[in-house]
Amino acid sequence: MSERRSVSIRVDERARVPFAMIGVLLLVSSIGVVATLETRPEPTVDDDSAVALDRTVAASQTAVRAAAVDATENAARSPVTQPDPNSTVGAAIADREDDPLDAYLALLIYLETEQRLEHTGQDLGGETSTTASLPSVEPTTESVEAALDRVEIATPSEHGVENGTLRVSVEDVAFEAEQGGTTVADRQEDLTVTIASTLHELHEHTAEYESRLNTGIFDEGASYDGFGRRLAARLYPVSYLKIAHKYRNPDDFENVTPNDHTEVLANHAAFSVQESTFGTTDPHGERTMRGAWACMGADIGEELLDTDQSADDSYDAEQLCEDLEYVYGDHEGELPDAPTLTELAEDEIVDSEFTEETVELPVDELADLAYFDVVGEEFDWDEEDPMTDEAFEDIEEVDSEDTPDSLDTLIDTASGEIPGVVDSVYRASVRAEDEIETSGDLPSAEPPDRVAEGNWTEVYDDRKTIVNSSDTTVNSRTLWRDDTTQSRPLYSYEITLTNEYEQTRTWERKVEAANGTDGNTTYGTDGNATTNRTESVTSTDRSTKRFEVVVEIDGRHSHGAAVDAAGYDPEIEYAFRSGGSTRPGPDRQRVGNFEAVPESAVEEVFNTGADPETVVDRLEQRVQPDEVFDSEQLVSMLDYEDDSWLDVTVEPDDDDALEAWLEAETDDVRRDVKAEVGPLEVERHELITADNSPIKGYVDELRQAQDDIVFEGEPDGYENAPAKARAELRLAYIESLIDAIEAVGDSHEDLRDGIEDNIADQLGEDATAVNNVLDTSLGIGQDALNGDIEENAGALDSSPLTEEMGFDVRGAPTYLSIEPVERDEVAAVRPAGAAPLDTAGTTHAPMTARYGNWIGYPGIPVIPFPSFWYASFSVWDVEVSGEYARFEVSAADGAPDSPAGTTYIREDRSVHLELDGERTRIGSVEPIRFDSRTVIVGVVPGGSPGVGDTGSFFNCTGAWDNTGPGVDFDENEGDCNGTPGTDQARDGK
């Protein structure tokens, strides 16, 4: 083919071409056309089948791209979230491991591609043509599964796929070339395209939005992304504003968390979740919230304006307007922007006593309780203390059975420690330990040699061991003056006995005569005996044996004293003798030490009335030398108790004077404790959230100050018995005080755990994610009141195939009210499962709410002990359910395939497809619905009953637990499941 030559045509500045030039052009053109027609060869048909198929493949690639674009748009408008397992197609989709949307999109791509391939074949002239095809999908599970197996979709979550794009592969597309009705070439190819699509970003962000809406206060770690914590962050400041007024005026705000106020705050929280998820909110949201804020503010203002203006602590109008300026607007009447979290927190309450970082817990009341316990008197309670009244008695019903010491025992029982202190100090015992030594042996007479040669028999009855002579001595030593230890030797008695023994032994034999002259039979062996006779021999031995028994008597005093068990030096300088300058009472009379112990020791050990000096003669008299052949016999004669401590009686000379002095000393130590210990500073929230009662912090402080309190200085032993009794008394006071602290602390912990368990029982599965409901909830409240919560906006990432993308969010209704809406109010309202064009009307419940004030008026003192009413708290459980009739999110990506962008729609509707001429159900699209739960812990200082609700302690909206279309309010009336008590209400407020 000849090469075309270009011709340049000049155009003047006014864009006009001269007529002469036009004539020349026409002439040349006509000549050229004739020449061309005359010289063109006859047309021929390109019958290269491979080239023809390549062209068809290229056209099919374009068809797949267009099919994928259309399929993503259709899938976004009806994103199947719940496949129907009872339909053939739905069952096939449900069996896939993928997200139902991916399987549904794959089926749409397949069907769109199948239709478009019908138009990608080419007719090359003559009898040659090409086709591209996929197997048709029949309305059977097997056919649908086969179609799904041919489509692969790679989303941005997979490697190599950019955000805002999808990579689609359609496998085994059949291509065929025919000529004259005969196949001349065929092949199968996989066609892969990458398209710009925000479908999955829209789907994932919407799913994330729904997930965050369904996140309760206990469902997430330390994050504030979920609706539950964001609602709590709004409920806390508003609730504390009301609680602050209830503290001053208990009749204000019968309900702290009414449902109509929760509605406003819940919508504000939902819009904030939209902002954090999509980077934007419904464009009508701000406008709807302005009116809601004004309405809620007017409601709050009406309550506040009913406050007794004559009260000193009531709000004046100026203060009220400053507190609620965001509600009423400025003096020109223009409504300001809706308040931020920080603005909500910047209420008068933040600087009030309710959120002070620390609170002081003085030890005085506990010190008094320990005093009365030690002296054995009934505690003089303040009759005007409200906790000694019925309110305190009711608290005990909250305690679990695990409280170690009941409050009744702590309050009503005074043990009286002073007699026990005297007994533990004025106490002594003695013990004897002996050492026995012997020397020498008893005599042992040996048989003569001749006895061994003959038939001799010992006469045992004649064997004798006797004492020929003896010498007995008893020596004593006094030892207790040589030592000052608590347990020491008192006396030593040495008994010595020396015996001279003699032993005699006799042997006998019979002698028979051989011949007798008297005619009688004779016996003998020597041949000389003339008559029978008995012969005997004797052996004698003498020896000296010495016995020595040493009896040492030990004595000890005040060995039961608690100060000893505490590890202090137990020694008393003047113990077993009189002395010492410590004397009780103003007259400083002598009350004695342990002077009686030495004499009593001898009496107890030797069981005799003799004194330590005369007992020597008594012991000597007990020794009977003629009867002593071994040491046991001597010990038995001495008759003493050994190896066990024997109590001896010791008493003060003037018991009454000593106890009176110790009672006065109890008052002194009480005064010292109040002056030197505390007050204990704790963070107010710890009174509710700490695992261990903060008041138990006094235990460590008392232990650290114990030396100074008990000994008024460093412990270095005691001068005399009264000095040790004083230390024992002071330690007994500290132990009683610690017992009181731990009993109150245990009751505090028990109360808290009981409430915690009660809350956990009420929350059920909603509380399983956390170990400490009160701590978690109050921590969120602190963050909210301190303005420490940051709510960040979300964003949609772009890619090289898309321009900068942004979301457009629209909910229907925009504002979820607790009042029902109709079709004429919200166009998206339709019956459940209805098609978008269905004109049938119905009633739609956008939001339902309920609250329970589990601890109503007057709340519970966090330390359940009279005069320890430093704070009270109450707990509100707020539940919210919501459902959009329609929720759509759009993303304009700027791609040429879809310049208007993609709109993703979630609404309650069924999804169908036509397969092989048959309309088949695929499944359904579920609307955005949510349930969330929030717990509010309210804390106020003690002294006022105003913290809990005074109206209905439990309340739910008319359609509670039933959101969405078709709610019958009359049918649901009174169905307020989960009511913790008999006091419930249903009024929608």
Side-chain angles (χ1 to χ4, degrees):
M1 182 178 293
S2 60
E3 182 178 353
R4 295 178 181 269
R5 291 185 294 177
S6 61
V7 178
S8 176
I9 301 176
R10 181 178 298 277
V11 181
D12 68 6
E13 293 180 354
R14 298 177 64 184
R16 295 178 298 177
V17 180
F19 286 110
M21 182 60 73
I22 294 175
V24 173
L25 179 60
L26 291 175
L27 176 61
V28 173
S29 298
S30 61
I31 296 174
V33 169
V34 173
T36 299
L37 291 175
E38 289 179 349
T39 59
R40 268 175 65 176
E42 291 293 325
T44 59
V45 176
D46 186 355
D47 59 358
D48 187 343
S49 59
V51 175
L53 287 180
D54 287 343
R55 293 174 180 172
T56 303
V57 170
S60 298
Q61 191 93 5
T62 303
V64 171
R65 182 184 303 278
V69 171
D70 287 351
T72 56
E73 295 302 311
N74 292 332
R77 286 191 290 270
S78 299
V80 173
T81 57
Q82 186 62 49
D84 185 355
N86 298 317
S87 73
T88 55
V89 180
I93 292 177
D95 287 342
R96 314 299 284 194
E97 295 181 357
D98 306 336
D99 185 316
L101 177 64
D102 289 337
Y104 177 56
L105 175 60
L107 180 59
L108 292 180
I109 291 174
Y110 187 96
L111 295 175
E112 289 283 351
T113 301
E114 179 192 354
Q115 293 178 2
R116 292 174 185 273
L117 289 179
E118 296 176 359
H119 306 289
T120 57
Q122 299 185 20
D123 189 352
L124 304 179
E127 296 182 349
T128 303
S129 62
T130 61
T131 59
S133 65
L134 286 170
S136 297
V137 181
E138 299 177 355
T140 66
T141 301
E142 293 76 12
S143 180
V144 172
E145 288 178 343
L148 293 177
D149 289 340
R150 287 174 177 258
V151 179
E152 293 291 336
I153 301 173
T155 68
S157 63
E158 300 179 41
H159 179 70
V161 181
E162 297 284 349
N163 289 316
T165 67
L166 292 176
R167 187 172 65 234
V168 177
S169 296
V170 181
E171 300 174 353
D172 297 333
V173 178
F175 296 95
E176 185 177 19
E178 292 185 352
Q179 190 173 43
T182 302
T183 300
V184 294
D186 64 70
R187 63 187 178 194
Q188 288 185 332
E189 288 197 18
D190 297 343
L191 303 181
T192 300
V193 298
T194 298
I195 64 171
S197 173
T198 56
L199 170 63
H200 279 78
E201 284 81 359
L202 294 171
H203 175 62
E204 291 171 359
H205 278 72
T206 303
E208 178 66 18
Y209 176 59
E210 184 175 24
S211 174
R212 291 180 178 182
L213 288 178
N214 280 284
T215 300
I217 189 174
F218 305 116
D219 293 337
E220 48 191 327
S223 170
Y224 283 90
D225 291 334
F227 173 81
R229 292 199 172 190
R230 295 202 174 194
L231 175 56
R234 289 155 175 79
L235 278 169
Y236 261 102
V238 176
S239 298
Y240 265 73
L241 172 65
K242 301 172 185 177
I243 291 170
H245 284 275
K246 287 187 70 64
Y247 176 72
R248 301 179 180 92
N249 301 282
D251 293 334
D252 281 358
F253 298 107
E254 291 185 353
N255 300 110
V256 171
T257 58
N259 294 319
D260 50 352
H261 293 184
T262 298
E263 170 198 297
V264 178
L265 301 173
N267 274 275
H268 194 248
F271 286 132
S272 77
V273 175
Q274 284 184 17
E275 179 74 23
S276 65
T277 306
F278 300 105
T280 188
T281 61
D282 190 308
H284 300 295
E286 183 178 356
R287 185 170 60 193
T288 60
M289 282 305 304
R290 286 172 181 261
W293 283 119
C295 182
M296 185 181 79
D299 192 21
I300 294 174
E302 183 178 358
E303 285 274 0
L304 295 178
L305 291 175
D306 286 341
T307 302
D308 182 5
Q309 297 298 314
S310 63
D312 293 338
D313 54 1
S314 62
Y315 272 95
D316 57 29
E318 182 180 359
Q319 181 66 54
L320 173 62
C321 291
E322 289 178 1
D323 286 347
L324 299 175
E325 183 176 347
Y326 68 84
V327 175
Y328 293 110
D330 57 20
H331 61 279
E332 295 181 354
E334 295 181 2
L335 286 171
D337 293 335
T340 65
L341 283 180
T342 301
E343 291 168 343
L344 283 173
E346 289 175 350
D347 190 79
E348 168 264 350
I349 185 174
V350 173
D351 296 324
S352 74
E353 66 270 32
F354 302 99
T355 53
E356 286 178 344
E357 290 187 2
T358 60
V359 60
E360 290 188 351
L361 305 180
V363 76
D364 297 30
E365 201 74 37
L366 292 170
D368 292 340
L369 178 62
Y371 168 80
F372 287 106
D373 178 57
V374 171
V375 300
E377 295 181 11
E378 183 179 352
F379 189 25
D380 185 16
W381 298 106
D382 181 1
E383 295 182 358
E384 296 182 358
D385 189 329
M387 286 193 63
T388 62
D389 204 350
E390 294 180 358
F392 177 68
E393 297 297 329
D394 292 340
I395 293 167
E396 297 183 66
E397 299 176 3
V398 183
D399 292 350
S400 72
E401 298 177 356
D402 299 328
T403 305
D405 294 320
S406 70
L407 291 178
D408 281 337
T409 301
L410 179 65
I411 294 171
D412 299 336
T413 304
S415 59
E417 298 285 342
I418 292 178
V421 166
V422 173
D423 290 344
S424 65
V425 173
Y426 280 86
R427 179 181 180 185
S429 58
V430 296
R431 178 182 64 183
E433 292 183 316
D434 58 7
E435 293 183 7
I436 302 172
E437 294 184 3
T438 61
S439 60
D441 298 309
L442 293 175
S444 177
E446 299 295 331
D449 292 341
R450 59 182 296 192
V451 170
E453 298 174 355
N455 188 22
W456 295 89
T457 302
E458 183 175 2
V459 182
Y460 287 99
D461 291 342
D462 292 341
R463 178 186 290 189
K464 298 179 180 178
T465 302
I466 61 174
V467 177
N468 287 335
S469 63
S470 67
D471 181 48
T472 303
T473 61
V474 178
N475 296 315
S476 67
R477 287 189 302 151
T478 301
L479 305 174
W480 58 266
R481 294 187 179 90
D482 302 332
D483 198 355
T484 60
T485 57
Q486 182 182 31
S487 179
R488 71 183 85 166
L490 300 178
Y491 297 101
S492 176
Y493 294 92
E494 183 180 286
I495 301 95
T496 304
L497 171 63
T498 305
N499 276 351
E500 294 285 343
Y501 296 97
E502 179 183 285
Q503 184 182 59
T504 302
R505 298 176 65 186
T506 301
W507 288 264
E508 292 180 348
R509 69 173 181 172
K510 291 182 179 181
V511 180
E512 298 179 352
N515 299 300
T517 59
D518 55 2
N520 294 325
T521 302
T522 59
Y523 299 90
T525 58
D526 56 1
N528 297 319
T530 59
T531 60
N532 295 335
R533 62 186 178 86
T534 299
E535 183 179 10
S536 64
V537 295
T538 301
S539 176
T540 301
D541 186 39
R542 295 177 180 84
S543 67
T544 300
K545 190 173 183 180
R546 185 174 182 272
F547 301 90
E548 183 179 280
V549 178
V550 177
V551 180
E552 185 173 278
I553 302 177
D554 295 333
R556 63 182 182 180
H557 61 76
S558 61
H559 50 276
V563 285
D564 298 348
Y568 295 115
D569 185 354
E571 292 188 14
I572 296 179
E573 181 180 358
Y574 296 95
F576 299 126
R577 57 195 174 106
S578 61
S581 60
T582 302
R583 294 189 175 186
D587 299 331
R588 295 179 55 79
Q589 61 266 44
R590 178 184 179 278
V591 295
N593 298 319
F594 308 103
E595 298 93 334
V597 170
E599 183 171 339
S600 298
V602 172
E603 294 177 358
E604 291 293 334
V605 169
F606 293 112
N607 193 25
T608 178
D611 59 36
E613 301 299 331
T614 61
V615 75
V616 172
D617 295 334
R618 294 287 182 90
L619 293 177
E620 189 172 349
Q621 293 170 5
R622 291 179 180 181
V623 177
Q624 302 298 318
D626 292 346
E627 299 176 10
V628 176
F629 295 91
D630 57 42
S631 59
E632 287 78 6
Q633 292 170 321
L634 177 58
V635 169
S636 178
M637 291 175 181
L638 292 174
D639 187 22
Y640 58 86
E641 297 284 345
D642 67 321
D643 296 331
S644 61
W645 287 99
L646 306 174
D647 290 336
V648 296
T649 301
V650 288
E651 295 178 347
D653 296 342
D654 190 337
D655 190 76
D656 292 340
L658 179 60
E659 291 192 6
W661 176 64
L662 292 176
E663 183 171 330
E665 190 68 25
T666 307
D667 189 46
D668 290 343
V669 70
R670 171 174 61 170
R671 184 179 60 251
D672 293 345
V673 166
K674 289 183 178 181
E676 299 174 17
V677 177
L680 190 66
E681 290 189 353
V682 300
E683 294 185 6
R684 187 183 297 277
H685 71 91
E686 289 183 304
L687 296 175
I688 297 175
T689 62
D691 291 335
N692 298 317
S693 175
I695 201 168
K696 289 184 176 180
Y698 269 127
V699 175
D700 291 339
E701 187 173 348
L702 282 169
R703 291 301 185 201
Q704 292 175 2
Q706 181 171 295
D707 291 353
D708 291 336
I709 295 173
V710 172
F711 298 97
E712 299 177 300
E714 289 294 325
D716 56 358
Y718 312 94
E719 184 184 28
N720 56 11
K724 189 167 187 177
R726 178 177 59 187
E728 182 79 355
L729 180 282
R730 284 176 166 260
L731 182 59
Y733 176 84
I734 290 178
E735 295 300 336
S736 178
L737 177 54
I738 288 176
D739 286 345
I741 291 168
E742 291 184 338
V744 172
D746 289 343
S747 297
H748 178 198
E749 293 166 4
D750 188 58
L751 172 68
R752 179 196 174 282
D753 292 343
I755 296 299
E756 181 86 21
D757 292 343
N758 180 269
I759 293 173
D761 290 343
Q762 295 290 342
L763 291 175
E765 295 182 356
D766 293 328
T768 57
V770 294
N771 295 324
N772 191 321
V773 174
L774 292 173
D775 194 5
T776 300
S777 179
L778 198 55
I780 294 171
Q782 287 180 298
D783 290 345
L785 294 171
N786 294 331
D788 292 338
I789 299 176
E790 294 184 3
E791 298 180 347
N792 300 317
L796 181 62
D797 295 332
S798 61
S799 74
L801 294 183
T802 62
E803 298 175 356
E804 290 296 325
M805 295 181 292
F807 289 115
D808 181 72
V809 179
R810 294 178 187 268
T814 298
Y815 180 91
L816 302 175
S817 65
I818 58 176
E819 299 295 335
V821 295
E822 305 288 343
R823 180 69 176 269
D824 58 354
E825 298 174 282
V826 179
V829 170
R830 59 180 57 84
L837 299 181
D838 193 320
T839 59
T842 187
T843 298
H844 183 96
M847 178 179 288
T848 63
R850 74 170 178 176
Y851 71 84
N853 181 205
W854 296 332
I855 309 170
Y857 172 88
I860 285 188
V862 295
I863 301 181
F865 187 73
S867 301
F868 264 72
W869 197 351
Y870 298 117
S872 296
F873 77 101
S874 192
V875 179
W876 289 265
D877 174 25
V878 179
E879 295 181 79
V880 174
S881 298
E883 181 175 325
Y884 290 94
R886 178 185 178 96
F887 188 84
E888 63 180 57
V889 187
S890 301
D893 51 33
D897 294 334
S898 56
T902 301
T903 298
Y904 178 92
I905 301 172
R906 291 281 298 275
E907 59 187 342
D908 189 350
R909 58 171 298 189
S910 295
V911 180
H912 297 78
L913 284 177
E914 187 171 306
L915 298 179
D916 197 23
E918 181 179 328
R919 190 170 186 264
T920 303
R921 175 174 164 80
I922 306 299
S924 61
V925 180
E926 297 172 303
I928 299 294
R929 60 168 63 98
F930 61 92
D931 299 284
S932 188
R933 200 166 193 173
T934 296
V935 171
I936 302 298
V937 180
V939 185
V940 298
S944 170
V947 58
D949 286 355
T950 53
S952 298
F953 296 154
F954 194 82
N955 184 281
C956 56
T957 56
W960 165 245
D961 210 23
N962 290 276
T963 56
V967 176
D968 189 332
F969 280 73
D970 293 333
E971 181 180 342
N972 282 278
E973 184 70 28
D975 184 17
C976 201
N977 295 327
T979 305
T982 57
D983 185 9
Q984 66 173 1
R986 177 187 292 275
D987 55 13
K989 300 299 184 182

